[in-house]
PDB file of all heavy atoms in Angstrom:
ATOM      1  N   SER A 116      -9.663  41.930  77.548  1.00 98.00           N
ATOM      2  CA  SER A 116     -11.045  41.667  77.385  1.00 98.00           C
ATOM      3  C   SER A 116     -11.602  42.844  76.748  1.00 98.00           C
ATOM      4  O   SER A 116     -11.646  43.911  77.221  1.00 98.00           O
ATOM      5  CB  SER A 116     -11.763  41.364  78.758  1.00 98.00           C
ATOM      6  OG  SER A 116     -13.143  41.105  78.543  1.00 98.00           O
ATOM      7  N   GLY A 117     -12.294  42.597  75.466  1.00 97.00           N
ATOM      8  CA  GLY A 117     -12.948  43.776  74.791  1.00 97.00           C
ATOM      9  C   GLY A 117     -14.364  43.969  75.315  1.00 97.00           C
ATOM     10  O   GLY A 117     -15.107  43.066  75.649  1.00 97.00           O
ATOM     11  N   VAL A 118     -14.693  45.137  75.427  1.00 97.00           N
ATOM     12  CA  VAL A 118     -16.096  45.625  75.847  1.00 97.00           C
ATOM     13  C   VAL A 118     -16.849  46.146  74.706  1.00 97.00           C
ATOM     14  O   VAL A 118     -16.467  47.127  74.139  1.00 97.00           O
ATOM     15  CB  VAL A 118     -15.942  46.743  76.932  1.00 97.00           C
ATOM     16  CG1 VAL A 118     -17.285  46.909  77.607  1.00 97.00           C
ATOM     17  CG2 VAL A 118     -15.016  46.411  78.108  1.00 97.00           C
ATOM     18  N   ASN A 119     -17.907  45.434  74.283  1.00 94.00           N
ATOM     19  CA  ASN A 119     -18.752  45.834  73.202  1.00 94.00           C
ATOM     20  C   ASN A 119     -20.114  46.298  73.641  1.00 94.00           C
ATOM     21  O   ASN A 119     -20.518  46.029  74.832  1.00 94.00           O
ATOM     22  CB  ASN A 119     -18.953  44.636  72.297  1.00 94.00           C
ATOM     23  CG  ASN A 119     -17.678  44.209  71.582  1.00 94.00           C
ATOM     24  OD1 ASN A 119     -17.148  44.900  70.753  1.00 94.00           O
ATOM     25  ND2 ASN A 119     -17.226  42.911  71.939  1.00 94.00           N
ATOM     26  N   HIS A 142     -18.618  39.899  78.887  1.00 96.00           N
ATOM     27  CA  HIS A 142     -17.755  40.038  77.603  1.00 96.00           C
ATOM     28  C   HIS A 142     -17.540  38.846  76.801  1.00 96.00           C
ATOM     29  O   HIS A 142     -17.247  37.715  77.188  1.00 96.00           O
ATOM     30  CB  HIS A 142     -16.429  40.610  78.027  1.00 96.00           C
ATOM     31  CG  HIS A 142     -16.479  41.856  78.782  1.00 96.00           C
ATOM     32  ND1 HIS A 142     -15.392  42.487  79.387  1.00 96.00           N
ATOM     33  CD2 HIS A 142     -17.559  42.656  79.118  1.00 96.00           C
ATOM     34  CE1 HIS A 142     -15.765  43.639  80.091  1.00 96.00           C
ATOM     35  NE2 HIS A 142     -17.056  43.751  79.950  1.00 96.00           N
ATOM     36  N   ALA A 205      -4.444  43.817  73.262  1.00 97.00           N
ATOM     37  CA  ALA A 205      -5.581  44.647  73.196  1.00 97.00           C
ATOM     38  C   ALA A 205      -6.266  44.699  71.920  1.00 97.00           C
ATOM     39  O   ALA A 205      -7.475  44.740  71.893  1.00 97.00           O
ATOM     40  CB  ALA A 205      -5.008  46.107  73.593  1.00 97.00           C
ATOM     41  N   ALA A 208      -8.313  41.623  71.341  1.00 98.00           N
ATOM     42  CA  ALA A 208      -9.457  41.506  72.077  1.00 98.00           C
ATOM     43  C   ALA A 208     -10.672  42.331  71.447  1.00 98.00           C
ATOM     44  O   ALA A 208     -11.816  42.266  71.852  1.00 98.00           O
ATOM     45  CB  ALA A 208      -9.260  42.139  73.496  1.00 98.00           C
ATOM     46  N   CYS A 209     -10.416  42.980  70.325  1.00 96.00           N
ATOM     47  CA  CYS A 209     -11.339  43.778  69.578  1.00 96.00           C
ATOM     48  C   CYS A 209     -11.826  43.145  68.277  1.00 96.00           C
ATOM     49  O   CYS A 209     -12.517  43.797  67.554  1.00 96.00           O
ATOM     50  CB  CYS A 209     -10.835  45.179  69.314  1.00 96.00           C
ATOM     51  SG  CYS A 209     -10.385  46.143  70.776  1.00 96.00           S
ATOM     52  N   ALA A 240     -16.881  51.079  66.426  1.00 92.00           N
ATOM     53  CA  ALA A 240     -16.059  49.889  66.338  1.00 92.00           C
ATOM     54  C   ALA A 240     -16.311  49.076  65.081  1.00 92.00           C
ATOM     55  O   ALA A 240     -15.367  48.709  64.341  1.00 92.00           O
ATOM     56  CB  ALA A 240     -16.125  48.978  67.545  1.00 92.00           C
ATOM     57  N   SER A 380      -8.998  50.292  66.479  1.00 92.00           N
ATOM     58  CA  SER A 380      -8.657  51.529  67.023  1.00 92.00           C
ATOM     59  C   SER A 380      -9.083  51.495  68.506  1.00 92.00           C
ATOM     60  O   SER A 380     -10.247  51.423  68.989  1.00 92.00           O
ATOM     61  CB  SER A 380      -9.393  52.630  66.384  1.00 92.00           C
ATOM     62  OG  SER A 380      -9.176  53.828  67.096  1.00 92.00           O
ATOM     63  N   ILE A 381      -7.964  51.483  69.397  1.00 95.00           N
ATOM     64  CA  ILE A 381      -8.232  51.443  70.909  1.00 95.00           C
ATOM     65  C   ILE A 381      -8.447  52.835  71.409  1.00 95.00           C
ATOM     66  O   ILE A 381      -7.619  53.686  71.228  1.00 95.00           O
ATOM     67  CB  ILE A 381      -6.999  50.826  71.567  1.00 95.00           C
ATOM     68  CG1 ILE A 381      -6.690  49.462  70.984  1.00 95.00           C
ATOM     69  CG2 ILE A 381      -7.336  50.698  73.013  1.00 95.00           C
ATOM     70  CD1 ILE A 381      -7.781  48.420  71.088  1.00 95.00           C
ATOM     71  N   GLY A 382      -9.639  53.106  71.895  1.00 93.00           N
ATOM     72  CA  GLY A 382     -10.000  54.480  72.400  1.00 93.00           C
ATOM     73  C   GLY A 382      -9.694  54.558  73.916  1.00 93.00           C
ATOM     74  O   GLY A 382      -9.330  55.704  74.310  1.00 93.00           O
ATOM     75  N   ALA A 383      -9.793  53.458  74.644  1.00 96.00           N
ATOM     76  CA  ALA A 383      -9.641  53.557  76.168  1.00 96.00           C
ATOM     77  C   ALA A 383      -9.339  52.178  76.698  1.00 96.00           C
ATOM     78  O   ALA A 383      -9.796  51.096  76.210  1.00 96.00           O
ATOM     79  CB  ALA A 383     -10.813  54.213  76.751  1.00 96.00           C
ATOM     80  N   GLU A 384      -8.494  52.169  77.771  1.00 97.00           N
ATOM     81  CA  GLU A 384      -8.104  50.918  78.484  1.00 97.00           C
ATOM     82  C   GLU A 384      -8.359  51.151  79.910  1.00 97.00           C
ATOM     83  O   GLU A 384      -8.091  52.141  80.492  1.00 97.00           O
ATOM     84  CB  GLU A 384      -6.686  50.530  78.079  1.00 97.00           C
ATOM     85  CG  GLU A 384      -6.421  50.398  76.666  1.00 97.00           C
ATOM     86  CD  GLU A 384      -5.006  49.805  76.415  1.00 97.00           C
ATOM     87  OE1 GLU A 384      -4.483  49.010  77.119  1.00 97.00           O
ATOM     88  OE2 GLU A 384      -4.437  50.380  75.348  1.00 97.00           O
ATOM     89  N   PHE A 385      -8.869  50.086  80.538  1.00 97.00           N
ATOM     90  CA  PHE A 385      -9.239  50.104  81.959  1.00 97.00           C
ATOM     91  C   PHE A 385      -8.704  48.837  82.540  1.00 97.00           C
ATOM     92  O   PHE A 385      -8.469  47.894  81.984  1.00 97.00           O
ATOM     93  CB  PHE A 385     -10.746  50.137  82.164  1.00 97.00           C
ATOM     94  CG  PHE A 385     -11.438  51.400  81.680  1.00 97.00           C
ATOM     95  CD1 PHE A 385     -11.737  51.591  80.336  1.00 97.00           C
ATOM     96  CD2 PHE A 385     -11.798  52.501  82.537  1.00 97.00           C
ATOM     97  CE1 PHE A 385     -12.398  52.745  79.828  1.00 97.00           C
ATOM     98  CE2 PHE A 385     -12.337  53.651  82.052  1.00 97.00           C
ATOM     99  CZ  PHE A 385     -12.608  53.725  80.755  1.00 97.00           C
ATOM    100  N   SER A 392     -16.545  51.551  85.167  1.00 98.00           N
ATOM    101  CA  SER A 392     -16.181  52.824  84.251  1.00 98.00           C
ATOM    102  C   SER A 392     -16.079  52.483  82.884  1.00 98.00           C
ATOM    103  O   SER A 392     -16.433  53.275  81.939  1.00 98.00           O
ATOM    104  CB  SER A 392     -14.896  53.549  84.828  1.00 98.00           C
ATOM    105  OG  SER A 392     -15.052  53.891  86.207  1.00 98.00           O
ATOM    106  N   ALA A 393     -15.504  51.349  82.576  1.00 98.00           N
ATOM    107  CA  ALA A 393     -15.376  50.895  81.238  1.00 98.00           C
ATOM    108  C   ALA A 393     -16.741  50.658  80.500  1.00 98.00           C
ATOM    109  O   ALA A 393     -16.960  51.183  79.390  1.00 98.00           O
ATOM    110  CB  ALA A 393     -14.642  49.563  81.159  1.00 98.00           C
ATOM    111  N   HIS A 394     -17.647  50.185  81.243  1.00 98.00           N
ATOM    112  CA  HIS A 394     -19.057  49.943  80.684  1.00 98.00           C
ATOM    113  C   HIS A 394     -19.727  51.294  80.518  1.00 98.00           C
ATOM    114  O   HIS A 394     -20.311  51.506  79.476  1.00 98.00           O
ATOM    115  CB  HIS A 394     -19.926  49.110  81.613  1.00 98.00           C
ATOM    116  CG  HIS A 394     -19.738  47.651  81.380  1.00 98.00           C
ATOM    117  ND1 HIS A 394     -20.798  46.757  81.318  1.00 98.00           N
ATOM    118  CD2 HIS A 394     -18.547  46.851  81.340  1.00 98.00           C
ATOM    119  CE1 HIS A 394     -20.305  45.563  81.065  1.00 98.00           C
ATOM    120  NE2 HIS A 394     -18.968  45.570  81.094  1.00 98.00           N
ATOM    121  N   HIS A 396     -18.161  54.133  79.819  1.00 97.00           N
ATOM    122  CA  HIS A 396     -17.416  54.689  78.809  1.00 97.00           C
ATOM    123  C   HIS A 396     -18.071  54.251  77.432  1.00 97.00           C
ATOM    124  O   HIS A 396     -18.267  55.083  76.547  1.00 97.00           O
ATOM    125  CB  HIS A 396     -16.055  54.360  78.850  1.00 97.00           C
ATOM    126  CG  HIS A 396     -15.096  55.068  77.846  1.00 97.00           C
ATOM    127  ND1 HIS A 396     -14.765  56.319  78.019  1.00 97.00           N
ATOM    128  CD2 HIS A 396     -14.584  54.561  76.736  1.00 97.00           C
ATOM    129  CE1 HIS A 396     -14.139  56.660  76.903  1.00 97.00           C
ATOM    130  NE2 HIS A 396     -13.832  55.580  76.124  1.00 97.00           N
ATOM    131  N   VAL A 397     -18.303  52.991  77.308  1.00 95.00           N
ATOM    132  CA  VAL A 397     -18.894  52.410  76.040  1.00 95.00           C
ATOM    133  C   VAL A 397     -20.346  52.938  75.886  1.00 95.00           C
ATOM    134  O   VAL A 397     -20.796  53.327  74.731  1.00 95.00           O
ATOM    135  CB  VAL A 397     -18.888  50.903  76.089  1.00 95.00           C
ATOM    136  CG1 VAL A 397     -19.649  50.309  74.822  1.00 95.00           C
ATOM    137  CG2 VAL A 397     -17.453  50.431  76.110  1.00 95.00           C
ATOM    138  N   ALA A 398     -21.081  53.005  76.985  1.00 94.00           N
ATOM    139  CA  ALA A 398     -22.469  53.517  76.875  1.00 94.00           C
ATOM    140  C   ALA A 398     -22.547  54.873  76.433  1.00 94.00           C
ATOM    141  O   ALA A 398     -23.616  55.285  75.816  1.00 94.00           O
ATOM    142  CB  ALA A 398     -23.085  53.296  78.199  1.00 94.00           C
ATOM    143  N   ALA A 401     -18.244  56.680  73.211  1.00 84.00           N
ATOM    144  CA  ALA A 401     -16.853  57.286  73.007  1.00 84.00           C
ATOM    145  C   ALA A 401     -16.221  56.682  71.778  1.00 84.00           C
ATOM    146  O   ALA A 401     -16.539  55.523  71.388  1.00 84.00           O
ATOM    147  CB  ALA A 401     -15.987  57.119  74.180  1.00 84.00           C
ATOM    148  N   LEU A 402     -15.278  57.527  71.145  1.00 87.00           N
ATOM    149  CA  LEU A 402     -14.569  56.926  69.936  1.00 87.00           C
ATOM    150  C   LEU A 402     -13.674  55.884  70.381  1.00 87.00           C
ATOM    151  O   LEU A 402     -13.021  55.848  71.476  1.00 87.00           O
ATOM    152  CB  LEU A 402     -13.821  58.132  69.361  1.00 87.00           C
ATOM    153  CG  LEU A 402     -14.625  59.151  68.565  1.00 87.00           C
ATOM    154  CD1 LEU A 402     -13.636  60.328  68.109  1.00 87.00           C
ATOM    155  CD2 LEU A 402     -15.418  58.638  67.473  1.00 87.00           C
ATOM    156  N   GLY A 403     -13.454  55.017  69.422  1.00 90.00           N
ATOM    157  CA  GLY A 403     -12.509  53.891  69.622  1.00 90.00           C
ATOM    158  C   GLY A 403     -13.128  52.723  70.409  1.00 90.00           C
ATOM    159  O   GLY A 403     -14.111  52.930  71.076  1.00 90.00           O
ATOM    160  N   GLN A 404     -12.385  51.666  70.464  1.00 95.00           N
ATOM    161  CA  GLN A 404     -12.784  50.499  71.211  1.00 95.00           C
ATOM    162  C   GLN A 404     -12.275  50.509  72.628  1.00 95.00           C
ATOM    163  O   GLN A 404     -11.153  51.015  72.938  1.00 95.00           O
ATOM    164  CB  GLN A 404     -12.520  49.171  70.453  1.00 95.00           C
ATOM    165  CG  GLN A 404     -13.264  49.034  69.171  1.00 95.00           C
ATOM    166  CD  GLN A 404     -12.802  47.795  68.392  1.00 95.00           C
ATOM    167  OE1 GLN A 404     -12.228  47.765  67.276  1.00 95.00           O
ATOM    168  NE2 GLN A 404     -13.212  46.659  68.882  1.00 95.00           N
ATOM    169  N   THR A 405     -13.036  49.850  73.485  1.00 97.00           N
ATOM    170  CA  THR A 405     -12.675  49.835  74.961  1.00 97.00           C
ATOM    171  C   THR A 405     -12.269  48.445  75.331  1.00 97.00           C
ATOM    172  O   THR A 405     -12.802  47.473  75.080  1.00 97.00           O
ATOM    173  CB  THR A 405     -13.878  50.267  75.699  1.00 97.00           C
ATOM    174  OG1 THR A 405     -14.294  51.568  75.284  1.00 97.00           O
ATOM    175  CG2 THR A 405     -13.637  50.368  77.260  1.00 97.00           C
ATOM    176  N   VAL A 406     -11.116  48.474  76.102  1.00 98.00           N
ATOM    177  CA  VAL A 406     -10.489  47.233  76.520  1.00 98.00           C
ATOM    178  C   VAL A 406     -10.286  47.150  78.039  1.00 98.00           C
ATOM    179  O   VAL A 406      -9.876  48.178  78.599  1.00 98.00           O
ATOM    180  CB  VAL A 406      -9.140  47.023  75.737  1.00 98.00           C
ATOM    181  CG1 VAL A 406      -8.391  45.784  76.292  1.00 98.00           C
ATOM    182  CG2 VAL A 406      -9.395  46.932  74.250  1.00 98.00           C
ATOM    183  N   ILE A 407     -10.398  45.962  78.625  1.00 98.00           N
ATOM    184  CA  ILE A 407      -9.972  45.734  79.949  1.00 98.00           C
ATOM    185  C   ILE A 407      -8.692  45.077  79.921  1.00 98.00           C
ATOM    186  O   ILE A 407      -8.485  44.023  79.300  1.00 98.00           O
ATOM    187  CB  ILE A 407     -11.040  44.935  80.784  1.00 98.00           C
ATOM    188  CG1 ILE A 407     -12.433  45.481  80.812  1.00 98.00           C
ATOM    189  CG2 ILE A 407     -10.508  44.603  82.171  1.00 98.00           C
ATOM    190  CD1 ILE A 407     -12.530  46.754  81.615  1.00 98.00           C
TER     191      ILE A 407
END
Side-chain angles (χ1 to χ4, degrees):
S116 175
V118 190
N119 291 296
H142 304 172
C209 297
S380 174
I381 308 298
E384 301 183 38
F385 295 82
S392 296
H394 275 228
H396 184 76
V397 172
L402 287 177
Q404 292 178 249
T405 301
V406 172
I407 301 293

